[in-house]
Amino acid sequence: MLAKAILLEKNQTAFSCNIQNIAEDELLQQTGDTLLQIQYSSLNYKDALAITNTGPVVRQWPMIPGIDGVGTIIHSSSKQYQSGDSVILNGWGCGETHWGCLSQYAYLKSDWLIPLPTGISTQQAMIIGTAGYTAALCVQRIIEHGITPEQGNILITGATGGVGSVAIMLLTQLGYTITAATSKINNTDYLQQLGVQHFIDSKTLAYAGKPLQKEQWAAAIDVLGSHSLANICAQTQYGGIVTACGLAQGMDFPATVAPFILRGITLAGIDSVMAALPKRIAAWDFLAKHLNTDQLQHIGQIISLNECPKIAQDIINGQTKGRFIVDVNR
Ligand SMILES: NC(=O)c1ccc[n+]([C@@H]2O[C@H](COP(=O)([O-])OP(=O)(O)OC[C@H]3O[C@@H](n4cnc5c(N)ncnc54)[C@H](OP(=O)(O)O)[C@@H]3O)[C@@H](O)[C@H]2O)c1
C-alpha cells in the first residue's frame, strides 16, 4: 500500500511542501494501533500555518500535516473498533508531532478517535472539522455560563472563517442574536445567508483602546487575540463571558484587569487539541443535535491535496470564507 500525502520537510536552510507517495512501513513507524483509510481531511488555520511554514506548528520533521480526518478503520489492535467503522480524528498533536490526515492513510491511536456521530455524513464531519468542534466548545461554554438569548448580542470575530461560521450557525439555531466582526465588511452576503443581521468592521477592534468601553456584548467568541481580544473584554457587559480560542491577529494580549475586577467578566480559554474524549463526544453530539446540516454545504468547498498549498496561503492572507474539505483521493 502506498499513501498519497502532503509531506513537509525542513532542514537548516530549506523548507519544502510536496505531494509524495508514502510506503506503509514508513507510516506504521508512527506511534499507533489503528490504520485508518482517510476519506476526507480539512484545511484548518493551523494546517495553513504548517503548510506555508508561517508559524511554529510542526515540531517533528518530516511531517504529514492535517489535524482533521474522517475515514474507515482498516485494522485496529484495540477492542474499541472493528474494521469498517467510520471514525473522526481531531487534533491530539496530529500534523504537529504525529503524522496527520492530509494523506490517504493515517496510523493513529484508537484513544484519539471518536465514532462518526449518527446524522452526520463523512463530508459534513469535515465541513465541521476542528474549527466547528471548537465553535461548539465555545458555544457550550457560553451556555454553561448562563447566557440566554434575552441577555443581548453575542459578538463573533473572524466571522467568515471556520470557527466563526459554525458558531454563527449554532447560535442562530439556538435563538441568539449575533454581531459579526469581519474584515469583509463590504461583502456581507455570505454572513447574511447564515442569518447574521448586525456587523462591525474588525478594524474597529484591532488597535489599542480604553480599558473600559461601552458595554455591548452579553458574550463573545474571539479567534483573533491581541488588541481585538482586549477591546472585546472592555466592551463586554457586566457578568458576561468571552471565549478565547484563536490568534489570527496575534498571540499577545495587551489588556488591563479592569473588565475582570470592575465588571466581573470571565475570560474562558478554549482548547480543542487535548480536550478529553467525553468533552469531544459531548461537543459532537451538540453539533449533531443543533446544527442545520443542510446549511453546511453553504460553508464548505471540496478541494484536492494539490490545491492545499495555494488555499493555505489564501487562509493566512485572510482571503477565504468558510471551510475547505480535502478529498485526499481526488
Ligand atoms: N483553541 C483551539 O483549539 C482552536 C481550534 C480551532 C481554531 N483555532 C484558532 O482560531 C483561529 C481561527 O480559526 P479558523 O479555523 O476559524 O480560521 P479561518 O477559517 O482561517 O478563519 C479565520 C478568520 O479570521 C479573520 N482573519 C484572518 N486573518 C486575520 C487577521 N490577520 N486579522 C484579522 N482577522 C483575520 C478572517 O475572517 P473575517 O475576514 O470575517 O474577519 C478569517 O476568515 C486561528 O487562530 C486558529 O488557530 C483554535
Side-chain angles (χ1 to χ4, degrees), residues 215-235:
E215 294 175 61
Q216 298 183 64
W217 324 116
I221 296 178
D222 179 56
V223 304
L224 301 177
S226 193
H227 287 299
S228 298
L229 180 57
N231 283 320
I232 293 162
C233 290
Q235 295 172 3

Side-chain angles (χ1 to χ4, degrees), residues 44-46 130-131 134 158-164 181-184 202 223-224 245-249 270-273 315-316 318 320 322:
N44 287 277
Y45 194 87
K46 191 181 263 179
T130 287
T134 304
T160 63
V163 174
T182 180
S183 65
K184 303 174 187 92
S202 56
V223 304
L224 301 177
C245 69
L247 43 58
Q249 188 190 354
I270 302 295
D271 171 59
S272 65
V273 181
I315 288 175
I316 296 303
T320 56

Side-chain angles (χ1 to χ4, degrees), residues 102-161:
L102 284 165
S103 168
Q104 291 175 311
Y105 294 89
Y107 194 56
L108 303 166
K109 290 189 188 173
S110 50
D111 290 348
W112 294 344
L113 304 171
I114 64 164
L116 183 69
T118 311
I120 293 185
S121 70
T122 51
Q123 208 178 90
Q124 288 167 343
M126 285 299 101
I127 300 179
I128 296 167
T130 287
Y133 142 59
T134 304
L137 293 175
C138 293
V139 172
Q140 287 177 305
R141 188 69 184 80
I142 288 170
I143 293 170
E144 276 163 30
H145 195 73
I147 303 293
T148 58
E150 297 69 40
Q151 285 173 255
N153 281 17
I154 315 290
L155 179 71
I156 299 179
T157 62
T160 63

Side-chain angles (χ1 to χ4, degrees), residues 38-54:
I38 306 291
Q39 194 178 352
Y40 299 107
S41 182
S42 85
L43 261 196
N44 287 277
Y45 194 87
K46 191 181 263 179
D47 302 313
L49 287 171
I51 290 172
T52 57
N53 192 31
T54 326

